[in-house]
């Protein structure tokens, strides 16, 4: 099992997809997970391994999502409400759960954020500078272009001397820079803008960029895809040389990466949510155990009095379905 676990870690690192390692560092009986139990949780919530049952798992997944957003590790303590605050420790996040058999779990969550994947399209001096500086930053660098060789681009992780973006694993952690200076801009821009990449930029003069935009509007791209194109590429630093232009582009990518995620309104302390949900509500409180449940992935729900209730487990749902009025507080069920 350990071999399989670490093989999965290496596989995820090779794909460039972010994930987190969750390790039980302390367990106070009775708990189903023991000290040393491990799990890998990917960005989409897929869990491989074991860190607890139906109550602990969704809570850990929710904290992993936060860790992957801010890039910070965290130590969480899952315990019964009556044990909250008994042994406060700096840096420990306490979360009250009533459905973990009365035991306590302390779990360390370590986000594994993939280094940016810089995709350079071109074969001229600016492409050389982008590849060199990108590797100096420790990024993964792929190069596509005509007449490109390992001798000219020794720092690139991957080199392709034919123009086919599909041969690369493009993710939202990929940053594409078209630096072909008019040689093969249009086709590569279309491919880049149709990919999952979070940043697609073009090195071109304003006159050239205007002509390319017109070409893109006459293609099968949507307006939303075209709006993703950043031109001219890079921050306005007054750059002139290929190295300066490359530096301005990489600085812009860093700025793009480090921008905080869109702020969300605080999640109300709800026991239920109406059938039509405001966009800023992503979680609801399980009316039985008090655990916050992610609405989009909730497996257990019940309809009562024209409202939807969300549960962390089948046990909580059964308890609610038997006596729903017992668990509804009118003042908190209002939107």
């Amino acid at each position: 099992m350990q071999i399989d676990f670490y093989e999965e870690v290496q596989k995820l690192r090779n794909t460039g997809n972010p994930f987190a390692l969750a390790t039980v560092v302390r367990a106070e009986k009775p708990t189903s997970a023991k000290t040393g139990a491990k799990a890998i949780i990917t960005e989409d919530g897929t869990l491989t391994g074991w860190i607890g049952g139906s109550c602990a798992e969704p809570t850990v997944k929710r904290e992993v999502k936060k860790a992957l957003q801010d890039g910070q590790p965290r130590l969480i303590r899952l315990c019964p409400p009556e044990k909250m605050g008994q042994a406060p420790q700096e840096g420990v996040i306490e979360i009250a759960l009533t459905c973990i058999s009365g035991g306590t779990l302390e779990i360390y969550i370590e986000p594994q954020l993939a280094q940016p994947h810089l995709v350079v399209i071109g074969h001229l001096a600016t492409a050389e500078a982008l590849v060199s500086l990108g590797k100096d930053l420790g990024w993964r660098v792929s190069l596509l272009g005509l007449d490109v060789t390992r001798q000219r681009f020794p720092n690139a992780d991957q080199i392709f001397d034919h123009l086919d973006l599909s041969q690369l694993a493009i993710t939202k952690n990929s940053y594409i820079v078209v630096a072909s200076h008019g040689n093969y801009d249009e086709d590569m821009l279309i491919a880049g803008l149709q990919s999952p990449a979070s940043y697609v930029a073009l090195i071109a003069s304003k006159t050239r960029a205007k002509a390319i935009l017109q070409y893109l509007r006459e293609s099968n791209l949507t307006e939303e895809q075209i709006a993703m194109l950043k031109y001219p590429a890079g921050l306005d630093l007054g750059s002139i040389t290929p190295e300066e232009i490359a530096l301005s582009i990489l600085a812009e990518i860093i700025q793009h990466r480090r921008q905080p995620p869109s702020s969300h309104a605080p999640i109300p302390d709800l026991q239920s949510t109406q059938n039509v949900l405001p966009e800023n509500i992503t979680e609801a409180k399980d009316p039985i155990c008090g655990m916050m449940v992610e609405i989009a992935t909730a497996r257990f729900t019940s309809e009562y009095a024209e409202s939807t209730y969300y549960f962390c487990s089948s046990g909580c749902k059964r308890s609610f379905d038997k006596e729903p009025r017992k668990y509804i507080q009118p003042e908190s069920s209002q939107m």
Side-chain angles (χ1 to χ4, degrees):
M1 291 300 295
Q2 287 185 338
I3 294 175
D4 291 342
F5 182 86
Y6 291 110
E7 283 181 353
E8 183 66 21
V9 168
Q10 190 58 49
K11 185 194 305 181
L12 287 168
R13 283 177 175 160
N14 291 340
T15 62
N17 292 314
F19 63 97
L21 299 175
T23 305
V24 177
V25 296
R26 180 176 175 272
E28 183 179 310
K29 296 180 180 180
T31 60
S32 57
K34 307 305 178 185
T35 301
K38 296 180 178 63
I40 303 166
I41 302 99
T42 58
E43 198 172 23
D44 63 1
T46 300
L47 186 145
T48 302
W50 175 254
I51 37 77
S54 60
C55 282
E57 182 177 309
T59 302
V60 172
K61 287 181 178 180
R62 187 170 66 248
E63 292 300 319
V64 163
K65 183 177 291 187
K66 296 176 184 177
L68 291 177
Q69 287 176 345
D70 61 27
Q72 298 300 313
R74 61 239 303 129
L75 178 61
I76 63 174
R77 183 171 185 261
L78 311 180
C79 61
E82 62 270 17
K83 292 187 178 181
M84 291 279 287
Q86 286 187 1
Q89 293 177 299
E90 185 177 352
V92 178
I93 301 171
E94 285 193 323
I95 301 173
L97 293 182
T98 60
C99 53
I100 58 172
S101 305
T104 297
L105 285 174
E106 292 184 5
I107 300 174
Y108 180 65
I109 296 172
E110 184 180 6
Q112 303 290 312
L113 303 180
Q115 284 296 325
H117 178 204
L118 177 64
V119 179
V120 180
I121 299 172
H123 60 277
L124 301 175
T126 309
E128 291 185 30
L130 281 165
V131 170
S132 180
L133 289 176
K135 283 307 296 180
D136 285 343
L137 289 172
W139 296 1
R140 193 160 52 97
V141 180
S142 299
L143 174 71
L144 290 83
L146 301 181
D147 302 320
V148 294
T149 63
R150 175 60 65 183
Q151 288 71 29
R152 284 188 58 206
F153 297 90
N155 294 321
D157 295 290
Q158 296 175 294
I159 294 179
F160 300 92
D161 61 359
H162 50 285
L163 305 173
D164 181 7
L165 201 61
S166 66
Q167 62 200 321
L168 295 178
I170 303 296
T171 70
K172 66 179 182 179
N173 194 46
S174 299
Y175 302 85
I176 299 174
V177 182
V178 177
S180 54
H181 296 281
N183 287 281
Y184 30 87
D185 295 348
E186 291 86 351
D187 290 344
M188 298 311 297
L189 281 174
I190 290 175
L193 292 170
Q194 288 176 331
S195 77
S198 61
Y199 174 93
V200 180
L202 169 68
I203 298 177
S205 66
K206 291 183 179 179
T207 302
R208 172 67 180 159
K210 184 176 180 181
I212 289 177
L213 280 176
Q214 183 58 38
Y215 177 88
L216 295 178
R217 292 192 178 99
E218 294 171 358
S219 68
N220 59 351
L221 293 175
T222 66
E223 286 299 323
E224 183 179 6
Q225 288 172 324
I226 295 173
M228 282 183 56
L229 178 61
K230 176 62 175 66
Y231 66 93
L235 300 177
D236 186 7
L237 304 178
S239 304
I240 297 177
T241 68
E243 291 76 15
E244 290 173 347
I245 294 170
L247 180 62
S248 73
I249 293 170
L250 296 180
E252 184 173 65
I253 292 174
I254 293 171
Q255 183 185 68
H256 178 84
R257 291 185 69 232
R258 300 303 184 189
Q259 286 176 343
S262 301
S263 58
H264 299 284
I267 298 171
D269 185 18
L270 298 176
Q271 285 189 328
S272 70
T273 59
Q274 299 295 338
N275 292 328
V276 179
L277 294 167
E279 291 183 0
N280 61 342
I281 296 181
T282 60
E283 296 177 323
K285 181 182 285 187
D286 184 325
I288 305 300
C289 67
M291 176 179 168
M292 297 303 294
V293 180
E294 188 174 35
I295 292 170
T297 59
R299 294 175 54 198
F300 306 101
T301 64
S302 290
E303 302 289 332
Y304 181 77
E306 299 184 353
S307 291
T308 302
Y309 293 82
Y310 299 84
F311 308 94
C312 70
S313 66
S314 59
C316 286
K317 173 177 164 58
R318 282 196 301 270
S319 297
F320 178 85
D321 290 342
K322 287 179 182 178
E323 299 179 88
R325 289 190 178 184
K326 178 180 177 181
Y327 301 102
I328 296 175
Q329 299 177 7
E331 65 274 14
S332 64
S333 64
Q334 299 293 322
M335 292 298 295

